[in-house]
Amino acid sequence: MTKVYILQHSSPRGDSVDEKLIGAYSSQIEAEHAIARLKDKLGFRDPRGEFTIDTYDLNKDHWTEGFGVE
């Protein structure tokens, strides 16, 4: 099955969290290379910030429980 690697960054901003979807990559290595390119740039270099890479199978539902309040 084909996989995609989603790179995100989050950092605290006062009482909330600033979350950025950076991109989708074809491999873990490509996502890690993106981190290396971005980690020293404004908006990403805050030491309280965190990069995360999540792996998803393509053409598959990942959120199957519904959404919202009934």
Side-chain angles (χ1 to χ4, degrees):
M1 182 161 279
T2 303
K3 296 187 180 301
V4 65
Y5 299 81
I6 304 296
L7 175 59
Q8 299 181 77
H9 183 269
S10 60
S11 57
R13 294 282 180 251
D15 292 338
S16 64
V17 176
D18 180 30
E19 298 185 71
K20 300 173 192 81
L21 172 62
I22 296 169
Y25 300 88
S26 60
S27 70
Q28 176 87 19
I29 296 291
E30 291 298 326
E32 291 171 358
H33 287 172
I35 292 170
R37 289 190 301 272
L38 295 170
K39 68 181 181 181
D40 294 325
K41 297 198 181 292
L42 185 64
F44 299 109
R45 62 183 172 219
D46 184 338
R48 299 171 298 158
E50 175 181 44
F51 287 97
T52 57
I53 301 170
D54 295 308
T55 306
Y56 292 93
D57 293 323
L58 289 178
N59 301 318
K60 179 182 175 187
D61 297 333
H62 293 275
W63 192 331
T64 59
E65 300 300 318
F67 180 80
V69 178
E70 292 190 35

